[in-house]
């Protein structure tokens, strides 16, 4: 009997604003993949414009869920980790990677640490180091430029200007594949650069840069890429699909005049992701 691919997603749930699990769940479902969430925290909204946020940390729930799933002997075609709020959660995410990935499965770590040249307020130096360690256990990582600088221990100004060179540098000597998001090789263009550890090749793909930036687009990109990889697409194909889908969602959002803090209106376009 044919089985539906499934992904364990270790990430937060922001109840208002399109980001994290609120994006990942519908995207993977649209791609024909069962998404099994392992929430790291529940937030009343994302932290980008709705004022003070009510949040509940879920390290205990995460630990209990992992123990339950281990008892059930569950394994997954993909394990995707994103926002982690503590060193303890980073350790639990590593445990999820070690225990839940099936033979032949993949691990994608989106090292959610910061953006726009700044760390998020919840990210301590200790958590940044723990995230860097978690990346060593990944098959794929998807840092933005700020996170790339943190992982390399450099200032933003010290990063290579060539996105492909940066992706190769982040590969830990070819041990993992890398996709660097937010790469802008020329004015008016933005996209992603990658290094593929299987082939040793690098590449870059961009689209027209929109006049507005929205929260949650990194989660949207990583979710589409994860789904593509789990379905067996190559890294280049997955990057192209993710860049194009995010671009189209941004264009739709601009046309709808959706307030920035609500994120991109991706829902009407989910049909584009169907197998």
């Amino acid at each position: 009997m044919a089985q539906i691919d499934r992904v364990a997603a270790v990430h937060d749930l922001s109840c208002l604003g399109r980001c994290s699990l609120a994006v990942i769940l519908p995207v993977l479902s649209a791609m024909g993949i069962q998404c099994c969430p392992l929430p790291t925290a529940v937030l009343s909204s994302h932290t980008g414009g709705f004022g003070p946020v009510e949040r509940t940390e879920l390290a205990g729930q995460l630990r209990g869920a992992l123990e339950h799933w281990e008892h059930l002997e569950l394994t997954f075609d993909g394990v995707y980790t994103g926002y982690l709020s503590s060193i303890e959660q980073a350790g639990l995410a590593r445990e999820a990677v070690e225990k839940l990935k099936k033979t032949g499965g993949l691990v994608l770590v989106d090292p959610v640490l910061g953006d726009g040249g700044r760390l998020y307020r919840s990210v301590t130096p200790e958590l940044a180091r723990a995230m860097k360690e978690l990346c060593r256990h990944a098959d794929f990582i998807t840092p933005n430029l700020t996170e790339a600088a943190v992982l390399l221990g450099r200032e933003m100004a010290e990063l290579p200007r060539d996105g492909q060179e940066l992706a190769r540098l982040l590969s830990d000597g070819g041990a993992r594949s890398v996709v660097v998001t937010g790469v802008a090789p020329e004015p008016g263009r933005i996209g992603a650069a990658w290094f593929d550890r299987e082939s040793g090749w690098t590449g870059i793909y961009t689209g027209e840069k929109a006049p507005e930036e929205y929260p949650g687009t990194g989660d949207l990109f990583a979710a589409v890429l994860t789904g593509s990889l789990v379905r067996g697409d190559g890294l280049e194909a997955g990057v192209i699909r993710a860049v194009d889908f995010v671009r189209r969602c941004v264009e739709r959002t601009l046309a709808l005049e959706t307030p920035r803090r609500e994120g991109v209106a991706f829902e009407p376009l989910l049909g584009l992701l169907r197998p």
Side-chain angles (χ1 to χ4, degrees):
M1 182 174 63
Q3 297 293 320
I4 294 176
D5 290 332
R6 62 185 179 189
V7 168
V10 186
H11 219 306
D12 75 282
L13 174 60
S14 293
C15 301
L16 181 62
R18 298 174 175 94
C19 67
S20 58
L21 287 172
V23 168
I24 297 162
L25 278 160
V27 163
L28 290 178
S29 295
M31 298 183 78
I33 296 167
Q34 180 188 7
C35 179
C36 299
L38 286 167
T40 58
V42 174
L43 288 73
S44 56
S45 73
H46 67 64
T47 57
F50 290 103
V53 172
E54 181 65 29
R55 62 188 298 151
T56 301
E57 303 296 333
L58 296 176
Q61 166 67 22
L62 178 55
R63 185 185 305 105
L66 283 173
E67 291 173 356
H68 185 198
W69 287 9
E70 185 179 11
H71 175 73
L72 294 173
E73 299 182 345
L74 296 180
T75 56
F76 293 79
D77 301 279
V79 179
Y80 163 27
T81 76
Y83 173 78
L84 307 169
S85 62
S86 66
I87 299 174
E88 180 183 10
Q89 289 193 0
L92 291 169
R94 178 175 172 180
E95 191 175 328
V97 165
E98 294 172 344
K99 293 182 177 179
L100 298 181
K101 185 182 81 165
K102 68 167 52 175
T103 301
L106 62 88
V107 173
L108 186 144
V109 173
D110 185 8
V112 180
L113 294 168
D115 200 3
R118 296 179 295 180
L119 293 177
Y120 297 128
R121 283 181 292 179
S122 61
V123 176
T124 63
E126 292 78 15
L127 179 56
R129 286 194 292 270
M131 187 71 81
K132 184 175 182 178
E133 176 61 28
L134 178 62
C135 286
R136 293 195 175 98
H137 299 269
D139 300 302
F140 302 87
I141 63 171
T142 57
N144 60 33
L145 293 172
T146 301
E147 292 154 354
V150 174
L151 294 177
L152 292 172
R154 299 186 181 187
E155 297 295 328
M156 292 279 290
E158 298 173 342
L159 294 179
R161 293 194 176 187
D162 185 310
Q164 296 177 70
E165 180 184 349
L166 178 58
R168 188 181 294 276
L169 192 62
L170 285 159
S171 72
D172 197 17
R176 61 195 176 209
S177 296
V178 177
V179 179
V180 183
T181 61
V183 173
E186 57 184 289
R189 307 285 295 181
I190 193 167
W194 70 86
F195 167 80
D196 187 341
R197 72 176 181 184
E198 298 298 325
S199 65
W201 294 350
T202 61
I204 189 166
Y205 183 75
T206 64
E208 185 178 354
K209 182 176 174 60
E212 182 64 275
E213 295 182 2
Y214 294 89
T217 51
D219 299 330
L220 187 61
F221 178 95
V224 174
L225 178 63
T226 298
S228 298
L229 294 170
V230 168
R231 290 194 331 200
D233 296 335
L235 182 59
E236 180 177 1
V239 170
I240 291 172
R241 178 180 288 113
V243 169
D244 284 345
F245 186 72
V246 171
R247 176 182 53 79
R248 293 192 66 169
C249 290
V250 170
E251 290 173 350
R252 173 63 65 90
T253 305
L254 287 167
L256 293 172
E257 299 183 351
T258 303
R260 178 187 178 278
R261 67 180 185 175
E262 293 185 15
V264 291
F266 67 92
E267 295 90 348
L269 299 176
L270 285 172
L272 299 175
L273 299 174
R274 289 175 183 157

